[in-house]
Amino acid sequence: MVSPLVSGVMALLTLCKLCVLVIILFIVRATIRKYWTPIRDIPGPFLASFSKLWLVYHLWKGHGEEELIDLHKKHGDFVRIAENEVSVSHPDAVKQLLHANIAKGSWYSIFSLPDYHYVNQMSELNPRRHIEKSRNIAAGFALSNIIKSEPHVDKILHCLKERLDGLSKSNEAVEFDKWFSFFAFDVLGEVTFSKSFGFVETGTDIRNAVANTKALALYIAVMGHYTWIHNLTLGNPLLSRIGIQPSSHIFDTCLAAIDARKKNPEKRNDMMQRWLDVRAKYPDRMAENEIFAAAVANIGAGADTVSATAQAFIYYLLRHPLYLQRLRDEIDAAQVRGELSPMVQYNEAQKLPFLQACLKETYRFHSAAVGGLPRVVPQGGITIAGRYFPEGVVLSINTWVFHRNPQIFGEDCNSFNPDRWLQTDTSYIESFLIHWGAGYNQCPGRNLAQFELLKLTTTLIRDYDIEQVDAKKEWVFKSQFTAIPSGWPCKIQRRS
């Protein structure tokens, strides 16, 4: 009979052997990934040469864009950031990767919300099917359709001004990260469902949508690299119906909005109606769940980007008072000439050149979307800047890396300078402004975002004096899926 001591020793030895075996298998796998690949000579962090852990670590840490900019400064046009992924910063890559109809990287699959039964434009990897989906929802996102909702957006903007006036009179600090998110969510409600959600009116984070969206951004950024885990767990259709996944608040918000819209006698020819019309006309081309997928994607992605950009616009002008004064002079002059309505109209704001330049520079200097734009090398391979990449390698373009590239934007690319957009010919740098993506995967909501931002920023600069409570304090933000700042409270005063 074997004594308990001997049995324990034997079990311990077995466990040790198992651990040694696992370690050996890990080393073998890591070695194969690092060296048995056509991109083995591409420089980059050691951890990135055999896993995605380097990417995930910096996503979690929150400033991977800074690390990637430094790596490109050190290594040049190509940096290996995962076992099968290379970050590319050469100017030719925008045309060869983003403007070409080639498949997107698997990371995009995570955007099928609430689960993989609802494939939207963002999560569709196949370029042909993506273009088909774009055609189905294009009518809703058309600028001509968005402008029809301008009187209703004006009501939200008027309500926001009342809220800001109240904070001004009580001498309370204004947290623009909160109020800009509220404004953006409410505009999405009006334009998509013919009814504001009520964030600005109530001054509250309804259903914790803003707070939950920040948590969702981190989840998407990390789990996008492990979509198979997501699909087995929180992205599983069975679990997603329970409502425990990070995107459940978006799912529930859309369901409630759709239900309220059905009962709303004042519903308009909004985005939802345009999509329903396409579905009725082409039932074989547009599935019913595609309408819901488009609505969820619109709500999920449309508020963060507007909030982040509007904050950056105000923040960097406050830190460059000469530019702020130039912009105010332009807006005041237009006001004196009678070219601005009490509620600034989109077509009026469009005619202000320095305003447009400041907004473009904001897009460049603080792009709301900070992740890479991965593309999978197609059959036959691809050659960029003399370097050949075979089929299957993932090549990604990081917006922050491109927007801080001195080859494109000049030696002052790390400075906020709206004047770069007022040169005689800006067509070259315009082609590299990729904050909304480029090519077939360009953000469908870009017209709506531009519409909101022009009206919002012109109104704020015209009607309020703004200053930071602590002018020396820098804001904070984490670059995960989006770079949404916070922590820079301001004092505002209504201008006469």
Side-chain angles (χ1 to χ4, degrees):
M1 183 175 179
V2 180
S3 69
L5 178 60
V6 174
S7 297
V9 171
M10 291 176 65
L12 182 60
L13 289 173
T14 302
L15 181 61
C16 289
K17 289 178 181 179
L18 183 60
C19 290
V20 170
L21 179 61
V22 170
I23 292 171
I24 291 173
L25 290 175
F26 173 80
I27 293 173
V28 170
R29 183 174 175 81
T31 302
I32 291 173
R33 284 184 167 186
K34 180 174 175 59
Y35 296 107
W36 200 264
T37 171
I39 59 172
R40 58 184 172 273
D41 60 317
I42 302 292
F46 173 76
L47 186 59
S49 65
F50 58 86
S51 77
K52 295 179 180 178
L53 291 177
W54 181 86
L55 268 177
V56 171
Y57 168 72
H58 283 286
L59 286 169
W60 184 270
K61 188 178 176 183
H63 278 290
E65 85 290 351
E66 294 178 355
E67 185 73 16
L68 202 51
I69 289 170
D70 289 340
L71 285 169
H72 275 286
K73 286 180 181 178
K74 179 180 179 180
H75 298 301
D77 294 328
F78 307 109
V79 174
R80 189 176 179 183
I81 57 174
E83 71 272 13
N84 191 44
E85 184 171 348
V86 176
S87 174
V88 184
S89 65
H90 192 277
D92 291 351
V94 169
K95 182 177 181 180
Q96 292 184 258
L97 296 177
L98 301 187
H99 287 282
N101 291 347
I102 59 179
K104 296 186 291 185
S106 61
W107 175 79
Y108 283 97
S109 299
I110 194 72
F111 291 98
S112 290
L113 302 173
D115 56 60
Y116 52 76
H117 285 155
Y118 298 87
V119 179
N120 54 53
Q121 261 193 315
M122 191 75 165
S123 62
E124 179 57 72
L125 307 183
N126 183 288
R128 180 184 59 80
R129 290 197 296 268
H130 181 105
I131 292 169
E132 290 174 356
K133 283 182 169 60
S134 299
R135 182 175 56 173
N136 290 339
I137 66 173
F141 285 110
L143 182 59
S144 58
N145 188 56
I146 292 168
I147 288 177
K148 293 175 182 176
S149 296
E150 188 159 20
H152 305 279
V153 175
D154 285 345
K155 292 179 182 178
I156 300 171
L157 192 53
H158 177 72
C159 187
L160 176 63
K161 288 176 65 176
E162 289 183 333
R163 286 287 178 182
L164 295 179
D165 289 345
L167 293 171
S168 173
K169 290 176 183 177
S170 63
N171 201 33
E172 292 181 59
V174 176
E175 302 283 355
F176 279 120
D177 59 320
K178 179 179 77 172
W179 289 105
F180 288 161
S181 293
F182 288 177
F183 173 77
F185 266 115
D186 280 347
V187 170
L188 285 167
E190 278 290 0
V191 174
T192 310
F193 305 109
S194 294
K195 186 175 177 60
S196 164
F197 291 117
F199 285 86
V200 175
E201 183 180 2
T202 62
T204 59
D205 183 5
I206 299 172
R207 297 174 182 240
N208 291 318
V210 175
N212 287 335
T213 300
K214 293 179 180 179
L216 178 61
L218 175 58
Y219 181 84
I220 283 175
V222 173
M223 293 308 294
H225 296 285
Y226 304 101
T227 50
W228 63 273
I229 298 177
H230 169 73
N231 290 337
L232 289 173
T233 55
L234 295 183
N236 187 292
L238 294 176
L239 291 179
S240 69
R241 297 301 182 273
I242 299 174
I244 61 172
Q245 63 178 165
S247 61
S248 293
H249 70 285
I250 298 176
F251 181 75
D252 293 339
T253 298
C254 278
L255 282 178
I258 291 171
D259 185 58
R261 185 184 181 280
K262 292 176 182 177
K263 303 171 185 175
N264 182 7
E266 299 179 358
K267 62 186 177 186
R268 307 183 302 274
N269 196 21
D270 51 23
M271 282 188 181
M272 181 63 69
Q273 188 59 52
R274 299 302 295 268
W275 298 337
L276 289 169
D277 290 345
V278 173
R279 162 73 177 152
K281 189 174 182 179
Y282 306 105
D284 57 331
R285 194 179 86 185
M286 188 176 192
E288 186 174 358
N289 67 349
E290 194 174 329
I291 297 175
F292 182 74
V296 172
N298 196 28
I299 299 300
D304 282 0
T305 49
V306 168
S307 175
T309 304
Q311 286 190 71
F313 183 94
I314 300 297
Y315 179 81
Y316 284 110
L317 284 176
L318 289 179
R319 296 192 164 247
H320 296 82
L322 293 179
Y323 292 141
L324 176 58
Q325 190 58 52
R326 278 177 61 186
L327 177 58
R328 177 159 284 161
D329 290 344
E330 178 182 73
I331 294 173
D332 286 349
Q335 182 72 31
V336 169
R337 294 193 299 267
E339 296 172 357
L340 296 181
S341 303
M343 298 305 296
V344 178
Q345 299 299 287
Y346 170 73
N347 67 328
E348 297 169 348
Q350 267 193 315
K351 298 173 184 176
L352 302 173
F354 194 62
L355 172 73
Q356 295 273 11
C358 290
L359 187 53
K360 287 179 181 177
E361 184 65 353
T362 302
Y363 286 145
R364 183 195 72 85
F365 201 68
H366 187 93
S367 298
V370 294
L373 305 173
R375 299 292 185 270
V376 182
V377 176
Q379 185 177 7
I382 193 170
T383 300
I384 300 176
R387 167 70 198 223
Y388 174 77
F389 295 94
E391 178 183 356
V393 172
V394 177
L395 301 178
S396 64
I397 287 179
N398 183 280
T399 52
W400 281 63
V401 169
F402 260 79
H403 291 167
R404 302 299 176 97
N405 188 336
Q407 298 178 61
I408 300 170
F409 293 100
E411 293 302 320
D412 69 337
C413 62
N414 290 317
S415 300
F416 183 84
N417 177 18
D419 282 322
R420 76 178 76 250
W421 302 102
L422 297 175
Q423 302 169 31
T424 305
D425 182 11
T426 60
S427 58
Y428 179 74
I429 58 174
E430 290 267 9
S431 66
F432 293 103
L433 193 60
I434 54 174
H435 57 292
W436 301 129
Y440 77 86
N441 194 47
Q442 204 169 17
C443 174
R446 61 191 181 278
N447 288 332
L448 176 58
Q450 179 83 353
F451 169 84
E452 293 177 69
L453 288 163
L454 284 175
K455 289 174 66 67
L456 177 62
T457 55
T458 309
T459 298
L460 288 175
I461 298 300
R462 182 192 65 179
D463 294 347
Y464 297 95
D465 286 318
I466 306 171
E467 62 180 20
Q468 274 187 258
V469 172
D470 182 355
K472 296 180 180 179
K473 183 181 179 182
E474 294 188 359
W475 66 6
V476 293
F477 67 91
K478 285 193 173 183
S479 304
Q480 285 156 341
F481 169 56
T482 47
I484 307 174
S486 61
W488 60 292
C490 293
K491 290 294 182 72
I492 63 171
Q493 189 70 39
R494 189 69 181 263
R495 297 180 72 215
S496 59

